Amino acid sequence: MTRSWTPGTPDADLSAIARTPRLVVALDFDGVASPLVAEPMAARALPEVAAQASRLASLPDTLVAYVSGRSLHDLREITEHDDASPIVLAGSHGAQYWYPGTGELDSGSEQTAGETREALWEAARPIIDRYEGAEFEPKTFGMGVHTRRADRETEAQVFAEIDALVAERFPGLRRRAGHRVLEFSSRTEGKDAAMAALREHFNATGILFAGDDVTDEDAMRVLQDDDLGVRVGPGESAAALRVDSPQQIAQLLETLADERAARQE
């Protein structure tokens, strides 16, 4: 059962994850580190979230990652990420990775995926362009359709038409629906795969994962007893804790950093 976290109130689960020997803090970006915005590429982390993420990443045996459905190229742009960053990136729902000191890993199958992707883009763009407020997002392994500027009737219509197109011509693509977005990908990885990859890469003894959308529940469901899931905003969730907003995520990260720093003194 997911329970609300109150800033300034001691929490046994948060204290426990702060004490784990080797911690990965994994954050979805849109709706978690950044408020949801109408223009997808205008998203930026709240300064207070970015500050606490940097603070955590500076602590011993503490790794911070942004885990997103965005393509790695776009994720690097919206996180204002450069090659000197200590922050890990997991893009395309766990199909792409960037690690400090290593850089981008070869995600594989891009050339084969490109043929399907280009055909999908060519077929989908004219449909999306007919709907006011709908926006096409190119992705490394597919595409997204954003409808944050559209009304709900328009959203239903464009999603239905794109669904019909994909069912007829691209039935092998993985479909994901989220907050005002519909995505299709030639890769099947979800954020559950990202949790497994980060756990193995860093030999983590505990993961704190925070997410706000349906696709984040893939990660929530594979968290283990020594991990902690945090849901941002409403909706059913497998997370243990719930906060109201990215602003409260910043407060939670600050509490986590305070407790972890104190443990290591």
Side-chain angles (χ1 to χ4, degrees), residues 233-248:
E236 293 186 10
S237 180
L241 298 183
R242 186 187 306 277
V243 300
D244 293 335
S245 64
Q247 287 79 7
Q248 282 198 352

Side-chain angles (χ1 to χ4, degrees), residues 208 227 244:
L208 183 150
D227 301 332
D244 293 335

